[in-house]
Amino acid sequence: MAGNGRTRFCLFIIALLVIGGSMGGCWDKKEAEDLGYVRATALNSAPDGKVHLLAQVPNPATLGGAGTARITPGASQDAKAYRNFEAEGSTVFEAIRQLALQAPRRLFWAQNTLVIFSEGLTRQGIAPHLDFFERSMEIRRRLNHVLVTPNDPRVLLDVPAPHETIPAGRIERIIDQEQQTSRFAIVTLSAFLRMLSTEGQDAYCGVVRVRNNPARPALVQQANAPEPTLTIELSGAAAFRGDRFAGYLTERETQGLQWARNEIRGGFVTVPSPSGSGRVTLDILRGKGRMIPAIQDGRLLVTIEITGVVAELAQAEAPLDLTRPEVLHTLDHALAREIEQEVIAAANKSQDLGADVLGVGAAFHRKFPREWREMKDNWPEIFPTVEITARAEATIHRTGFIQKGITIKD
Amino acid sequence: MPERKRRLVTRRLSEMLREVQQKRNTAEDESTLPANGAGNETYHYDKLKQMPLSASLAQNIAVLKRIFVDSPGFNVREFLVAGKIPVAAVFVKGMVDTLLVSANILRPLMHYTRDEPVPQGKGLLEIVQFAGITTVPVRTRDTIGEIVRDVLEGGVVLLLDQESRALSAEVTGFQTRSIEEPVSESVVRGPREGFTESLAHGLSLVQRRLKSPNLAVENHFLGRETHTQVSVLYIKGLVNPEHLAELNRRLKRIGDNIDGVLESSYIEEMIADRPLSPFPQALNTERPDRVVAALLEGRIAILLENTPFALVVPFEFQALMHASEDYYQNYWFATAIRILRYVALTIALIGPAVYVAITTFHQEMLPEVLLFQVVAARQGIPFPAVIEMLLIDYAFELLREAGIRLPRPVGQAVSIVGALVIGQAAIQAGLTSPLAVIVVAVTGIASFVVPVFSMAFTLRLIRFPLTILGGMLGLYGVIAGVLAIVIHMAGLRTLGLPYLGGVTPLHVSDLKDSVVRFPWWAMRGRPHELSKRNRQRQTPDLKPRPESRK
Amino acid sequence: MNYAISIVLATAILFVPSITAQHARQDAWLSLLLAGAFGALVTYIAVRLALRFPGETVVQYTPRVLGPVLGKLVGFIYVYYYLFVAYFVQREFSELINAAYLSRTPMIVIICVLTLLAVYVLYQGLEVLCRVNTVVLWSMIGAIFLIIMLGIKEVRLEAFLPILENGPGPVILGAVTPGSWFGETTVILMLMPFILATDQPRMVKFNLLAVLVLFLVLEMIVVAAVGQFGAAQAATKLFPTLSLARHVDIPALPIFSRQDAVFMAFWVAGMLFKLTTFFYAGTLGLAQWLNLKDYRPLILPLAVVITALSFQAWVDITELKSFSGEVFPFAISFVQFILTGLILGVAVIRGIRPQPGKGGEV
C-alpha cells in the first residue's frame, strides 16, 4: 500500500531532516514571560515632525495570584504595576523600535486595546500613523478602541487607577460601561478605519480627559492612601474632517450622534415632568436610528428617524400619576421630542464643524448613486447646506416598582 | 482375601512384570527413534504425528520415556486391569488431578469385576473405554504425536498391550485462578466476571451468554514449543466470511513458525494490517460480555490459553472509545460519558502541545487575565516552556511506571511522594511553573479516561512528538501532527475493515453508536461494513409504548 | 464526493473577497452569482466529458480524440495545470502562515511540512485521500460557518448599497477570478475512473451540488467581509477571511475573542487536501502520460519539483496576489473551459467512444 522500502526510507530521512532542521530553529518561539504586553498606545506630536509614542506595559510579577506569592528576584515592594515606555521616531514603527532600547522585554502588541491620539497630533493629520495600525499583524483592530485626548498622554496614562491595577485597564472598564450613559463614543480601530475609508462619511471617536478628582477629600493629610488628585473621564466625541481633528461634540451631541448612527445601547434622557414641576429622567433600553435621504427640487433633505425607542422611568422629581395612561403618553411624547433635539444638536454641530460624522453623504451615496457622483467632490461644501430633520417615536415600557410615587404631606 | 490366593496373585504379578520388563528391554533396541544418545534429541509434533503406535506396550512405553526423558513430572503408572492384563497410564504430574485419576481410571480398571472375561488383546480397548474408565471425555489415539500432546495438555493416556491404539482421558487438574472481576475494565453496573488464564473458563463464559448453536469455534495451535491453543469464535450467519477466512489465513501463517505465543499481544502484532502502526489493531478485552457483544455485531473473537485478554477483530477506532458499561447505563448518561471521553482523548493527545504552542507562539489567544497569570507563573523559570513540559511529562510517566511495577502499598507511596512532594518542591524551587504541572496532570488523568488501555498507551506515545512540534512551529506544527495522525488512521484497516469506519466511509446508521449512544430500541442495524448480509439487529418498532396511551 | 468542494474552497476563500471587492466593490456578492453560474457551466462540461470516457482519465483519451501529437500536448497541459495549481496552493498557503503567524520561520519549512503530509497521503492512495477529505471538509465548513455566525451581528446591510453603482462592468470583472476558481472542479477529469460505476451517472448532480455548496460558502464569506469591513476595507485586505476570523469579538466571553489561530488550524487541513488532490491528479496524469504502471515513483521527485517551482514562480506576496487576480484566472479558464470544451466537442463530432477493456488502473 505505501510504497516500497526504499522510498519509505527516503521519506523518513526527509521527515527527519525537516524536523531536525526546524529543531535548530524554533524561529518564532517567544516565551510568554519574555514579552512585554502593551495594553495602551498613545501617540503625541513631537518636534521636527516626529511622533512621540507611549506604550503602557503592565508588570506581570505584580499581577496574577500565583506570581505575587512568589519572590521574583529584583522586584522590590514598591514595584509599580505598570511601566510607561516612551520614545520618539519619525514613524510609529521607528518609535516602537526605539522603545526596544529601553524595554527589557520584546514589546508585544496583540493585547493592546487602546490607541490614544493627542489632540495636537490629530490636528496635524493621523493618516500616516494609522497605516501602521492597519498593517500590523499583531494588533487586533476589532479589540482596540480609538480615543482622542486633549491632555498630555504622559499624564493621562499615569493617573492612578482605582479598582484597576493600570490606567489602561481603567479606561477599558469605563468603555465597558458605555451603555449606561451613551455620553461618549466608543469606536473600535476597525470601525474607525472603516469610517475613514467610506465615501461620504467622516470619522469620529471617543474622548478621554484628565480632570481634577472631585472625590479628593478636604483632609489632604490623610496618611492612608490618599485619594489621587487627578482622575480620568470619558466624555463626548471627537469629530474628524478627513484625517484631521475638527472639533469636540458635547455629551448630549454625542448621544444624538449615536442615535443617528444607530449605535445606542442605553443611556439616559431627562425631560420636564408632565405634571408641571420638576424633571423626569428616563433610562433608555434600546432604539433604532435610520437616515432617509431625499432630493426635492434640487434641495438635499435628510430625515433621521429614531424608532422603537424603549425606555424605563428611572426617576421623577415630582409625583406622577401613572394610573392614567395619558400621563405616560405625554411622557413618551416629551422623550421623543428630546431625542429629536439631541439628534438635531449633533447634526448642527457636525455641520458647523464641516465633519460629516453622521454619514449623511454615505446615505446619499447608497440611495442616489448617480447624483452622488456629481456631489462627492464638493461634498464638504454641500454638507453644511443639507437640511436635516429628526423624527422620533418612543414608548416607556416600565415604570419601576411604584405607580404614583410618594406625595409628601404638607 | 485368603492368604493362598493373595500369594498366587503376587506370584502371577511378579511373573508378568518380569515378562514386561524383558519385552521392554528387547523393545528398546528396536525403537524406531534415532538413537543418537538419549536426552539430546528434540522433537516436533509434525514429526511425531507421523509416528504410529506399535502394538507392543513395552515398546510404546519405551518410546514415550525416551521422548519425555528429562520432562518434569512425567509419570508412567503401570497396573493390571482386573488383576491380570497389564496397562500403563501415562501423564504429567501437576497437570492432572491425581485424585481423579485414581478414582476414575485406576480404581474401576483394577477392580474390574464384570462377568465376561477381559480379553487379552482385541476388544480390550473397547471394554476399557466403554465399561471401564469413568472420566467424561475419552478419545482414542493412534500416533505418538497425539499422545505426547494429550499428556502435555494434562490428559492421562492409557497404553494397552497388544493394541496399536491408546485411550486418552481428560482429567486436567492444574491450578487455575478462579473467575474474578476484570481488573482493567471494572464496571459499576454490569457483569463482574472476567476471563481467566484458563481457556476452558473463557469458552464457557462466552457460551453461557450465547446459548446458540450458531456460535462456532475454530481452534488453532500456535507456537512450536508452547503449542498454545487459540480459539477463534464467531457466530455463523453474522460473521463476514471474508473476515473469517482472512483471519484464519493469518493465524495459519503464524502456525508453528513462531516458537511461542504467551499472550494475545503476540497474535495482535502478527495479524496486524499495518505492522508499523502505533495504533492498536486488535481490540483486547477481559470481559466476556464485551466479547459476546462484539460477536453479535458480526465480529470475531480470539481467545487464548494462559491469558485473560481476548482479542476482537475487526473493529473501528470508535470501539476503542467505548466501554461495555456504556450499554448498561442510561443512554443519555452514556452519551455524555462518551463525549467526555472524546474530550479527554483530545486533551490527552494535544494538551501539552497546545499549551506549549499557545504560550510560546500564540500569546494573543489568551485573554489578558489568563495571560498574565501564565506570565506571572513563568517568571524566573529556567527552562523554555517546551522543555519544561517535556520534562514534567516525562517525570509523570516515570512515576506512573514506577507505581505500576511496584507492590501496591509501595506503589501508593511512590505516587504520593512523586505527585505531592516532587511536584510541590519543583514548583517552590522555581524549576517549573504550577501551570505546566496542572497541564500535565490533567493530560495524565485524561489519558486514563480512555477505556481501552492499549489506546491510552498510543496516545501517551504520540503526545511527545506532538509537544515537540508544538514547540517548533506552534499551532501549525500541532495541526500538522494531528493531520498526519488522521491520515495514518484513514489508511489503517483491521482485517480489511476501515479504521475510521462509520465516519468515513460514512454510514449514518452507524453513528447511532459512536460519540452518542442511541437507546437499544433505536439501534436497529448492525455496523454497516461488518454485516452486509444480516443487517437487522432487531425488529423495528420496538420502542416501548405504554398500552394505555394507544 | 466531497473533494470537489474542498479543493476549490481552500484557496478560494483566502483571496476571493478582496479580489472580487477590488473590482465590484459592494456588488461583490453579485459577482459571485455570476462566477457560480460560470463554474456550474465549466463543471457541467467537464463532467460530460469525463462521463463519455468513464474508465479513463483525460490524459489517456486525449491522444485518441485529438490525434497522437496534439493529444499528447494537450495531455501535458492538463498535467501541468494540475501541478501548477498544486504549487500555487503551496505558495499561497505558506505566505499566509508566514505573514500571520510564523513570520521568522523560513518559508521552506512551512512548505515542506505541508508537502510531506501530502506525499504521505499520496503514497497511501486515493482512498485515503477521499477519506480524510470527508473528515476535513466538514470540519472546515463548520469552522467557517462558526466564524461567520460569530460576526453576523456586525454585518451592516447598508454596506451593500448602492447596487450596481457603476453598471455591470465591474461586477463581471470581479466575477472572473472566483469563476476560474469554481472551474477547478475540472479535476474530476482525472478522478472519474475511480468513482464507482454505480455512482458515475449521478456525478453531474453531485458536482453541480458541490458548486452550489461552494457558492454558498463563498457567498457567506464575501457578504461577511464586505458587510463587516465595508467594501473599501475588504478590498485592501490581503487575507480578508483571516481578518474576519480576527474580527470576532464576544464581549461576554472574551476567551473566544482571539481564537483565529484555531481557524488557521482548520484552514491548514483544507489547504492540505486541495494540495493533495491536485498533486495527485498531476502525478497520476504524468505517470499515465509517460505510460508508467505506477505513479508512486514519481511522487518524491514531483514533490521536490513543485516545491522548487512554488519558490521560484513568484517573488513576493504582492506579485502572488496580483497574479492570482489577473493571470491565474485567464490561464486557468483556458484549460478548464476552452480545452475541456474543445476535447468534448471533437470527441462528439468524431464520434469517439471509450475503448472497451481499457480502464484507468493505476
Side-chain angles (χ1 to χ4, degrees):
Chain A
M1 192 86 172
N4 57 29
R6 205 185 319 142
T7 43
R8 242 195 230 172
F9 182 73
C10 282
L11 260 185
F12 182 68
I13 294 293
I14 294 175
L16 267 189
L17 282 179
V18 170
I19 290 169
S22 25
M23 264 305 254
C26 304
W27 302 267
D28 286 289
K29 186 172 81 70
K30 36 190 197 287
E31 295 296 331
E33 72 275 19
D34 294 340
L35 297 176
Y37 300 92
V38 181
R39 291 289 299 279
T41 313
L43 294 177
N44 200 350
S45 53
D48 308 331
K50 286 189 167 184
V51 62
H52 173 270
L53 178 103
L54 184 151
Q56 184 156 74
V57 181
N59 178 5
T62 63
L63 309 169
T68 43
R70 265 233 323 281
I71 306 126
T72 316
S76 54
Q77 53 271 60
D78 65 334
K80 213 171 162 186
Y82 63 93
R83 287 288 168 199
N84 291 341
F85 293 102
E86 290 175 50
E88 284 178 13
S90 44
T91 64
V92 176
F93 192 71
E94 195 183 304
I96 285 176
R97 284 298 143 100
Q98 287 287 327
L99 291 180
L101 300 178
Q102 332 157 19
R105 307 247 160 100
R106 183 184 181 286
L107 294 186
F108 187 62
W109 252 262
Q111 308 284 341
N112 189 48
T113 48
L114 297 173
V115 179
I116 300 170
F117 296 104
S118 77
E119 192 191 313
L121 187 73
T122 52
R123 285 183 189 280
Q124 297 168 10
I126 51 172
H129 310 305
L130 274 177
D131 180 79
F132 167 75
F133 294 97
E134 194 177 357
R135 195 178 294 278
S136 163
M137 277 294 177
E138 275 179 10
I139 286 176
R140 302 290 161 134
R141 276 151 284 274
R142 176 85 184 281
L143 304 176
N144 271 285
H145 289 101
V146 181
L147 294 170
V148 164
T149 179
N151 306 91
D152 186 352
R154 269 183 287 199
V155 179
L156 174 75
L157 286 177
D158 218 6
V159 173
H163 302 298
E164 278 290 329
T165 38
I166 67 170
R170 178 186 187 180
I171 297 177
E172 282 163 30
R173 295 293 91 78
I174 297 175
I175 288 175
D176 290 348
Q177 303 301 314
E178 189 262 355
Q179 58 189 28
Q180 291 194 29
T181 59
S182 287
R183 294 293 156 126
F184 61 92
I186 42 172
V187 176
T188 61
L189 184 53
S190 161
F192 192 71
L193 292 168
R194 181 177 164 156
M195 287 192 283
L196 280 176
S197 65
T198 305
E199 280 179 36
Q201 165 81 59
D202 277 318
Y204 65 93
C205 68
V207 176
V208 58
R209 287 193 174 85
V210 179
R211 283 182 46 198
N212 287 325
N213 187 356
R216 189 165 166 78
L219 292 169
V220 189
Q221 258 63 38
Q222 213 172 344
N224 208 357
E227 200 57 39
T229 45
L230 296 176
T231 187
I232 293 176
E233 188 185 75
L234 275 88
S235 81
F240 284 73
R241 206 183 304 114
D243 70 327
R244 273 161 217 272
F245 177 78
Y248 291 112
L249 271 65
T250 64
E251 291 180 4
R252 184 157 178 264
E253 287 156 4
T254 306
Q255 182 156 322
L257 171 65
Q258 301 209 59
W259 281 119
R261 300 272 309 151
N262 190 21
E263 295 206 336
I264 284 286
R265 290 184 298 154
F268 61 91
V269 170
T270 299
V271 295
S273 172
S275 67
S277 64
R279 286 158 294 195
V280 175
T281 298
L282 301 151
D283 192 10
I284 306 290
L285 298 176
R286 56 180 175 269
K288 267 203 180 105
R290 204 154 65 102
M291 206 174 285
I292 305 160
I295 301 181
Q296 245 173 43
D297 318 324
R299 288 182 310 145
L300 302 178
L301 306 174
V302 165
T303 311
I304 295 169
E305 222 181 52
I306 315 295
T307 51
V309 176
V310 174
E312 184 180 337
L313 182 59
Q315 192 188 346
E317 283 183 346
L320 280 176
D321 187 5
L322 295 175
T323 47
R324 290 180 309 146
E326 56 270 26
V327 174
L328 214 52
H329 289 317
T330 333
L331 213 48
D332 288 347
H333 189 74
L335 172 61
R337 292 297 85 72
E338 173 59 19
I339 291 172
E340 283 166 8
Q341 276 163 31
E342 280 177 358
V343 172
I344 293 298
N348 289 344
K349 184 61 149 299
S350 74
Q351 285 182 323
D352 290 349
L353 295 174
D356 185 4
V357 287
L358 279 77
V360 173
F364 276 106
H365 177 201
R366 285 195 290 271
K367 187 138 185 213
F368 304 104
R370 214 158 296 137
E371 289 81 351
W372 172 252
R373 224 171 296 164
E374 289 145 28
M375 295 192 278
K376 78 174 173 194
D377 292 331
N378 9 340
W379 182 246
E381 290 84 62
I382 298 172
F383 172 59
T385 67
V386 178
E387 291 167 40
I388 300 175
T389 49
R391 196 164 62 224
E393 274 169 37
T395 44
I396 293 158
H397 273 198
R398 283 194 287 267
T399 57
F401 275 1
I402 50 171
Q403 254 192 334
K404 257 184 165 171
I406 46 166
T407 348
I408 310 291
K409 60 184 188 299
D410 302 309
Chain B
M1 197 190 287
E3 180 66 17
R4 194 181 55 84
K5 194 175 176 185
R6 200 176 61 203
R7 212 174 296 139
L8 194 74
V9 170
T10 321
R11 198 188 316 132
R12 175 97 181 82
L13 266 178
S14 53
E15 273 168 25
M16 280 177 52
L17 284 175
R18 209 173 303 126
E19 206 176 305
V20 170
Q21 204 70 43
Q22 279 166 4
K23 272 190 188 164
R24 186 184 303 151
N25 288 342
T26 49
E28 251 166 47
D29 302 332
E30 297 159 16
S31 156
T32 49
L33 283 172
N36 39 348
N40 285 336
E41 306 98 340
T42 56
Y43 302 100
H44 195 273
Y45 280 123
D46 287 346
K47 216 167 68 190
L48 291 175
K49 259 185 217 158
Q50 315 279 317
M51 195 185 290
L53 275 175
S54 84
S56 152
L57 174 65
Q59 188 179 336
N60 285 338
I61 291 176
V63 168
L64 287 175
K65 278 203 166 164
R66 184 147 189 172
I67 291 171
F68 285 108
V69 61
D70 289 331
S71 271
F74 177 72
N75 262 290
V76 180
R77 167 74 159 90
E78 292 169 68
F79 61 97
L80 298 174
V81 174
K84 39 191 183 202
I85 303 148
V87 168
V90 185
F91 57 92
V92 174
K93 218 175 124 190
M95 294 289 282
V96 297
D97 187 336
T98 40
L99 276 176
L100 277 181
V101 175
S102 71
N104 291 340
I105 300 174
L106 297 186
R107 186 174 303 149
L109 288 179
M110 288 161 87
H111 294 179
Y112 185 82
T113 51
R114 287 188 196 254
D115 292 343
E116 63 266 43
V118 182
Q120 184 77 37
K122 208 168 160 52
L124 171 67
L125 182 118
E126 280 73 19
I127 287 194
V128 170
Q129 183 177 1
F130 296 117
I133 56 181
T134 55
T135 60
V136 179
V138 177
R139 281 177 284 264
T140 57
R141 299 292 191 210
D142 39 30
T143 66
I144 295 283
E146 285 171 326
I147 291 171
V148 167
R149 179 196 291 175
D150 287 348
V151 167
L152 286 175
E153 279 177 0
V156 170
V157 176
L158 292 176
L159 299 169
L160 313 173
D161 200 17
Q162 297 176 33
E163 174 63 76
S164 61
R165 290 177 300 167
L167 277 178
S168 166
E170 201 181 300
V171 277
T172 40
F174 47 80
Q175 289 299 310
T176 56
R177 194 161 60 95
S178 58
I179 291 173
E180 287 164 18
E181 192 174 351
V183 184
S184 68
E185 292 167 88
S186 49
V187 291
V188 175
R189 176 171 177 186
R192 298 189 191 283
E193 286 174 329
F195 288 128
T196 66
E197 285 75 4
S198 155
L199 177 60
H201 281 173
L203 290 172
S204 85
L205 284 172
V206 171
Q207 210 148 19
R208 257 170 44 200
R209 287 170 171 76
L210 209 57
K211 300 182 190 80
S212 157
N214 295 332
L215 174 66
V217 63
E218 279 177 33
N219 287 319
H220 294 259
F221 291 89
L222 305 186
R224 203 162 47 231
E225 305 296 345
T226 59
H227 211 74
T228 312
Q229 185 178 347
V230 174
S231 295
V232 174
L233 289 171
Y234 58 94
I235 297 180
K236 279 185 269 181
L238 293 185
V239 75
N240 184 336
E242 287 164 29
H243 291 156
L244 188 64
E246 179 62 26
L247 177 65
N248 279 326
R249 198 184 60 74
R250 290 185 195 180
L251 287 175
K252 287 213 178 69
R253 222 188 104 255
I254 307 174
D256 277 352
N257 298 319
I258 187 173
D259 59 350
V261 172
L262 299 183
E263 217 279 333
S264 45
S265 68
Y266 284 52
I267 296 180
E268 184 180 342
E269 281 174 27
M270 303 281 279
I271 64 170
D273 289 51
R274 278 288 181 86
L276 297 180
S277 170
F279 281 84
Q281 294 182 59
L283 184 68
N284 64 63
T285 179
E286 284 188 85
R287 300 190 59 89
D289 51 327
R290 186 151 199 194
V291 164
V292 172
L295 291 176
L296 284 172
E297 285 181 338
R299 301 177 207 273
I300 307 168
I302 306 172
L303 267 63
L304 250 75
E305 261 179 327
N306 301 328
T307 177
F309 287 95
L311 298 181
V312 171
V313 278
F315 70 102
E316 298 95 350
F317 168 73
Q318 54 192 20
L320 294 171
M321 303 301 290
H322 299 172
S324 52
E325 199 173 354
D326 294 355
Y327 302 98
Y328 309 144
Q329 299 282 14
N330 176 298
Y331 56 90
W332 291 111
F333 179 70
T335 301
I337 293 291
R338 282 190 180 175
I339 293 170
L340 181 83
R341 285 200 201 111
Y342 277 93
V343 172
L345 173 84
T346 316
I347 294 175
L349 191 63
I350 59 174
V354 167
Y355 171 81
V356 168
I358 289 183
T359 55
T360 54
F361 285 86
H362 309 280
Q363 288 89 356
E364 75 275 5
M365 279 176 71
L366 296 176
E368 56 221 24
V369 180
L370 184 56
L371 175 69
F372 290 129
Q373 291 287 358
V374 173
V375 174
R378 278 196 51 82
Q379 292 291 321
I381 305 293
F383 306 108
V386 56
I387 303 292
E388 181 194 19
M389 186 53 66
L390 288 173
L391 283 178
I392 306 175
D393 211 352
Y394 210 78
F396 173 80
E397 294 293 316
L398 215 65
L399 289 168
R400 201 193 47 78
E401 191 61 23
I404 288 180
R405 305 285 164 236
L406 286 171
R408 194 159 293 172
V410 189
Q412 276 173 0
V414 165
S415 41
I416 290 168
V417 169
L420 297 179
V421 180
I422 297 183
Q424 190 61 31
I427 292 169
Q428 283 193 337
L431 290 177
T432 71
S433 63
L435 263 165
V437 173
I438 293 171
V439 169
V440 168
V442 170
T443 309
I445 301 286
S447 73
F448 293 134
V449 173
V450 177
V452 176
F453 236 63
S454 47
M455 186 60 211
F457 287 132
T458 310
L459 283 179
R460 299 215 306 262
L461 204 65
I462 305 176
R463 189 161 79 214
F464 284 92
L466 276 179
T467 310
I468 295 172
L469 271 174
M472 273 165 16
L473 294 170
L475 275 185
Y476 176 57
V478 177
I479 195 69
V482 170
L483 277 175
I485 294 168
V486 172
I487 296 169
H488 176 77
M489 281 171 54
L492 271 184
R493 285 164 175 275
T494 56
L495 281 191
L497 186 79
Y499 209 59
L500 293 180
V503 180
T504 165
L506 179 72
H507 296 294
V508 177
S509 70
D510 285 9
L511 295 182
K512 288 180 178 178
D513 186 15
S514 56
V515 181
V516 294
R517 177 176 87 75
F518 273 44
W520 275 116
W521 42 260
M523 284 197 279
R524 283 173 47 202
R526 297 175 209 284
H528 203 276
E529 297 278 320
L530 272 170
S531 47
K532 294 206 161 120
R533 292 187 306 163
N534 195 340
R535 288 275 303 124
Q536 293 303 317
R537 201 199 288 262
Q538 58 208 12
T539 52
D541 203 27
L542 270 187
K543 183 176 178 182
R545 221 175 298 131
E547 289 299 319
S548 58
R549 256 195 261 152
K550 259 188 184 171
Chain C
M1 281 295 185
N2 302 306
Y3 57 83
I5 314 172
S6 62
I7 50 177
V8 188
L9 197 58
T11 40
I13 60 171
L14 198 53
F15 287 162
V16 154
S18 64
I19 291 179
T20 310
Q22 264 168 24
H23 297 293
R25 314 278 301 179
Q26 60 270 40
D27 295 323
W29 61 281
L30 281 173
S31 290
L32 266 186
L33 270 176
L34 265 182
F38 178 73
L41 178 69
V42 171
T43 309
Y44 183 75
I45 293 175
V47 176
R48 275 264 81 92
L49 177 60
L51 279 177
R52 197 175 170 86
F53 302 94
E56 289 171 274
T57 68
V58 65
V59 178
Q60 286 170 318
Y61 53 74
T62 38
R64 287 210 316 282
V65 175
L66 300 176
V69 180
L70 191 61
K72 273 283 177 198
L73 187 71
V74 169
F76 186 76
I77 291 178
Y78 272 97
V79 170
Y80 181 74
Y81 158 60
Y82 294 131
L83 292 176
F84 164 77
V85 175
Y87 73 74
F88 182 78
V89 171
Q90 278 182 321
R91 176 62 179 262
E92 196 179 25
F93 163 78
S94 49
E95 286 287 354
L96 168 82
I97 298 287
N98 249 176
Y101 296 100
L102 303 172
S103 51
R104 274 157 232 271
T105 307
M107 197 188 283
I108 179 87
V109 176
I110 295 166
I111 293 192
C112 273
V113 169
L114 195 72
T115 312
L116 273 177
L117 286 174
V119 166
Y120 185 39
V121 176
L122 251 62
Y123 269 116
Q124 302 202 51
L126 185 64
E127 190 196 340
V128 170
L129 177 80
C130 292
R131 267 217 187 118
V132 187
N133 233 343
T134 332
V135 179
V136 164
L137 173 70
W138 293 110
S139 41
M140 185 160 165
I141 289 189
I144 292 174
F145 195 70
L146 188 69
I147 295 231
I148 286 165
M149 284 297 116
L150 290 178
I152 203 154
K153 248 177 54 196
E154 287 295 305
V155 173
R156 292 166 160 258
L157 284 181
E158 64 259 27
F160 299 100
L161 293 172
I163 295 170
L164 289 182
E165 185 184 7
N166 298 313
V171 175
I172 293 169
L173 215 58
V176 171
T177 312
S180 73
W181 262 311
F182 276 117
E184 284 178 3
T185 45
T186 42
V187 77
I188 188 74
L189 291 174
M190 285 306 291
L191 302 179
M192 188 57 101
F194 308 102
I195 291 164
L196 284 179
T198 49
D199 281 343
Q200 279 184 350
R202 291 187 298 172
M203 282 321 281
V204 176
K205 215 171 71 191
F206 275 171
N207 273 280
L208 290 180
L209 201 68
V211 171
L212 181 71
V213 172
L214 189 61
F215 163 73
L216 287 178
V217 174
L218 277 182
E219 190 71 283
M220 280 201 304
I221 291 172
V222 167
V223 166
V226 174
Q228 291 189 31
F229 301 130
Q233 282 274 300
T236 58
K237 297 210 183 294
L238 260 181
F239 306 107
T241 318
L242 181 69
S243 295
L244 271 183
R246 292 201 160 194
H247 208 247
V248 171
D249 176 29
I250 308 162
L253 296 166
I255 197 149
F256 289 117
S257 291
R258 297 157 177 272
Q259 304 306 314
D260 56 284
V262 176
F263 178 65
M264 178 272 287
F266 283 104
W267 207 335
V268 172
M271 281 299 207
L272 172 66
F273 287 96
K274 174 158 185 177
L275 168 64
T276 317
T277 311
F278 278 88
F279 189 22
Y280 176 82
T283 316
L284 179 66
L286 189 62
Q288 289 174 344
W289 197 75
L290 297 170
N291 293 323
L292 297 182
K293 277 214 177 63
D294 189 4
Y295 69 90
R296 291 201 168 81
L298 289 178
I299 296 175
L300 268 186
L302 275 182
V304 175
V305 168
I306 60 168
T307 306
L309 280 172
S310 75
F311 267 96
Q312 159 276 330
W314 302 277
V315 177
D316 51 36
I317 178 79
T318 319
E319 196 177 316
L320 181 70
K321 186 149 183 183
S322 62
F323 177 88
S324 60
E326 289 155 23
V327 185
F328 185 83
F330 297 102
I332 276 200
S333 300
F334 169 69
V335 176
Q336 289 164 347
F337 189 58
I338 301 178
L339 268 191
T340 312
L342 179 78
I343 299 172
L344 181 63
V346 172
V348 170
I349 290 162
R350 290 179 59 186
I352 294 171
R353 289 265 141 212
Q355 285 179 350
K358 186 150 189 224
E361 72 284 334
V362 161

